[in-house]
Amino acid sequence: MEPDDVSTRQQRIAELARIHPEVSFTSLAHHIDLRWLQEAYHRTRKDGATGVDNQTAADYEKNLEENLRSLLERAKSGSYRAPPVRRTYIPKGTSRTEMRPIGVPTFEDKVLQRAVVMVLEPLYEQEFLDCSYGFRPGRSAHDALDALWKQTMDVGGGWVIDLDIRKFFDTLDHKHLREILKRRVSDGVLSRLIGKWLNAGVCEKGAVSYPGQGSPQGGVVSPMLSNVYLHEVLDEWFEEAVKPRLKGKAFVVRYADDAVLGFEYEEDARRVMEVLPKRFAKYGLTIHPEKTRVVRFQRPDRGNPEDQEQPKRETFNFLGFTHSWRRSRNGNWVVKRTTERGRLARALKKVGDWCRRNRHAPIQEQYDHLQRKLQGHYSYYGITGNYNMLATFRNQVIRIWKVWLSRRSNNGWVSWEKLRLLLERFSLAPPRVVHSIYSANL
């Protein structure tokens, strides 16, 4: 297998897409051959949950070349049948009752979806705008956060629309999606496969249903389809139709279906807020009427000096961080990002649940797990200005550990002094800023 061969062909797709921005490509599926599927297999996670067939990656690998040859033949001939996704649920946000549905495809389906994404990605990367960051090569949630920070600082905060699309993955309209895809992709094999995935159905408690809309979260191809959809619905529309009509500066930062729109002037924000529901309704989507709001996010020293009453400082959440105006150590006003309270509570609950279930495990095993939890938390939430919340998380983890160590027996043997001695031997990782705005600007 030669990954460079796949990379070379992807570069060719990207080059053609860049040269012919208005062309709908009719011949793309020929790139998917055995080598391409082998590379797709290597890029597919092997430790994910199993689909409706309960086949693991290890099971599939036992006859890998034979399985991939069969998959290739079925995909190209049109005889491939997309199996239903197995539906499971995870908590939505910080809610204890509201759950988010996740679709789990079979492993083979994941491989084929990955192969198709490997064709579509270089093509659509020539289309997508700089404002979108979710599930794109070389881009991350921290890139989106950095872009948002820089642009809010540039306009002094201004006015922000905190956008919430109601049940986006459940309500994505298949007809509109096909029409959008057809403008750039009219290859029969790829179109047929995408259609099969959209209509594959959902298996829940042994019963299969066939929703007429939506793209289940969890599928490998779903993030690509969502980006294609929202590129037209929001990104391109905002850049080409909205910004030229505004009085001041404006920007949008989007990560998958999570987006923030920023404006220099309140008038611009209010005008866009009025048309957003109509724009999204045109594509079968609904803006959440309570969660979508206009936030006054002006820098505190930029208010009207004649106002007797200072307006309440408003905040908004994006990608797990609460954004607010605070004074820096040298006294300047800056946009500060701190761990969203709900995210902190959810992370601590997971730690508590694990400690409860494993309170009788060896201390070394417990320490290793908590160390990984802390380092993982720092890896995401360790950004400039969030040190205190990182320290809070670590302190609460220590407190939780003490509680459950004390319940290993009826004696409650772990006093704070004993815990201190334990932590000298098993020193948990201190808070660490991993993503610094200062290093990013060097």
Side-chain angles (χ1 to χ4, degrees), residues 171-372:
T171 58
L172 186 148
D173 186 88
H174 292 179
K175 180 181 178 182
H176 283 301
L177 176 60
R178 289 191 182 95
E179 290 173 352
I180 295 170
L181 285 168
K182 193 178 295 184
R183 292 171 197 160
R184 290 298 266 160
V185 180
S186 49
D187 180 288
V189 173
L190 298 187
S191 299
R192 186 167 57 240
L193 285 172
I194 292 172
K196 288 181 177 182
W197 287 321
L198 291 175
N199 298 314
V202 175
C203 182
E204 185 172 6
K205 296 179 180 178
V208 179
S209 60
Y210 297 91
Q213 57 187 10
S215 177
Q217 287 178 269
V220 176
V221 77
S222 291
M224 170 59 71
L225 298 182
S226 69
N227 272 336
V228 170
Y229 205 79
L230 289 175
H231 168 74
E232 170 154 329
V233 177
L234 179 61
D235 305 351
E236 197 172 47
W237 168 74
F238 190 83
E239 184 67 29
E240 297 181 1
V242 174
K243 285 176 68 173
R245 293 175 169 83
L246 302 180
K247 290 174 58 179
K249 296 178 181 178
F251 63 86
V252 59
V253 176
R254 181 176 65 80
Y255 190 93
D257 63 328
D258 199 357
V260 169
L261 289 68
F263 304 87
E264 187 175 4
Y265 299 121
E266 179 182 10
E267 178 186 344
D268 289 338
R270 300 290 179 190
R271 287 175 59 199
V272 174
M273 185 68 175
E274 286 183 11
V275 300
L276 271 177
K278 299 175 184 176
R279 173 66 183 178
F280 278 74
K282 179 181 176 181
Y283 291 86
L285 300 174
T286 304
I287 298 297
H288 199 295
E290 284 119 28
K291 294 181 180 179
T292 300
R293 61 196 180 101
V294 176
V295 178
R296 181 172 186 162
F297 199 66
Q298 289 179 310
R299 200 171 77 191
D301 62 346
R302 288 193 173 183
N304 188 341
E306 297 181 359
D307 289 344
Q308 296 299 314
E309 295 186 10
Q310 288 295 323
K312 180 182 177 181
R313 294 184 197 170
E314 295 188 61
T315 65
F316 66 91
N317 297 326
F318 183 63
L319 298 180
F321 291 89
T322 298
H323 294 67
S324 61
W325 281 101
R326 303 281 181 85
R327 285 196 183 275
S328 65
R329 290 181 180 178
N330 58 14
N332 295 326
W333 286 106
V334 296
V335 176
K336 189 169 183 179
R337 291 86 50 86
T338 55
T339 309
E340 191 180 329
R341 291 286 179 178
R343 293 286 190 98
L344 179 65
R346 189 169 66 185
L348 290 172
K349 183 180 184 303
K350 288 182 178 179
V351 170
D353 290 344
W354 189 92
C355 288
R356 173 180 55 80
R357 294 193 307 270
N358 296 274
R359 61 186 180 275
H360 296 297
I363 297 297
Q364 182 68 54
E365 181 181 326
Q366 294 188 37
Y367 166 77
D368 290 342
H369 177 83
L370 294 178
Q371 189 80 325
R372 289 193 297 271

Side-chain angles (χ1 to χ4, degrees), residues 61-116:
E61 189 177 11
K62 291 176 183 176
N63 296 296
L64 181 59
E65 185 166 340
E66 181 182 335
N67 287 332
L68 292 180
R69 287 187 184 279
S70 171
L71 177 60
L72 179 62
E73 192 280 326
R74 284 177 282 140
K76 291 294 184 72
S77 67
S79 62
Y80 180 78
R81 298 183 63 183
V85 296
R86 180 174 63 83
R87 172 160 287 176
T88 187
Y89 293 87
I90 61 172
K92 184 176 183 180
T94 58
S95 173
R96 294 184 178 181
T97 57
E98 193 175 3
M99 306 294 283
R100 184 191 301 276
I102 297 291
V104 183
T106 64
F107 181 77
E108 181 175 70
D109 209 38
K110 292 177 185 177
V111 172
L112 187 55
Q113 288 190 31
R114 175 61 62 194
V116 170

Side-chain angles (χ1 to χ4, degrees), residues 1-201:
M1 173 58 200
E2 299 177 8
D4 289 346
D5 178 58
V6 172
S7 177
T8 299
R9 284 187 277 170
Q10 286 182 309
Q11 291 173 11
R12 179 58 178 161
I13 295 172
E15 182 183 355
L16 289 172
R18 187 166 50 249
I19 295 172
H20 305 289
E22 304 297 327
V23 170
S24 180
F25 291 89
T26 60
S27 180
L28 290 169
H30 71 276
H31 291 288
I32 302 178
D33 54 16
L34 186 59
R35 284 187 177 182
W36 195 277
L37 282 183
Q38 287 171 336
E39 179 63 17
Y41 164 80
H42 288 296
R43 296 187 188 185
T44 302
R45 281 187 56 183
K46 310 299 190 295
D47 59 348
T50 59
V52 293
D53 62 356
N54 291 318
Q55 186 180 49
T56 65
D59 295 333
Y60 197 79
E61 189 177 11
K62 291 176 183 176
N63 296 296
L64 181 59
E65 185 166 340
E66 181 182 335
N67 287 332
L68 292 180
R69 287 187 184 279
S70 171
L71 177 60
L72 179 62
E73 192 280 326
R74 284 177 282 140
K76 291 294 184 72
S77 67
S79 62
Y80 180 78
R81 298 183 63 183
V85 296
R86 180 174 63 83
R87 172 160 287 176
T88 187
Y89 293 87
I90 61 172
K92 184 176 183 180
T94 58
S95 173
R96 294 184 178 181
T97 57
E98 193 175 3
M99 306 294 283
R100 184 191 301 276
I102 297 291
V104 183
T106 64
F107 181 77
E108 181 175 70
D109 209 38
K110 292 177 185 177
V111 172
L112 187 55
Q113 288 190 31
R114 175 61 62 194
V116 170
V117 169
M118 286 162 55
V119 175
L120 297 180
E121 189 172 80
L123 189 158
Y124 277 105
E125 276 301 305
Q126 314 313 309
E127 301 274 309
F128 294 156
L129 304 181
D130 285 342
C131 64
S132 70
Y133 292 86
F135 307 102
R136 293 182 59 187
R139 291 178 165 235
S140 69
H142 292 103
D143 293 327
L145 289 164
D146 286 347
L148 178 59
W149 185 84
K150 291 171 184 175
Q151 291 181 96
T152 49
M153 287 288 291
D154 181 51
V155 298
W159 297 79
V160 165
I161 294 180
D162 185 3
L163 179 64
D164 187 281
I165 308 171
R166 176 179 276 172
K167 296 182 177 180
F168 169 72
F169 285 94
D170 294 335
T171 58
L172 186 148
D173 186 88
H174 292 179
K175 180 181 178 182
H176 283 301
L177 176 60
R178 289 191 182 95
E179 290 173 352
I180 295 170
L181 285 168
K182 193 178 295 184
R183 292 171 197 160
R184 290 298 266 160
V185 180
S186 49
D187 180 288
V189 173
L190 298 187
S191 299
R192 186 167 57 240
L193 285 172
I194 292 172
K196 288 181 177 182
W197 287 321
L198 291 175
N199 298 314

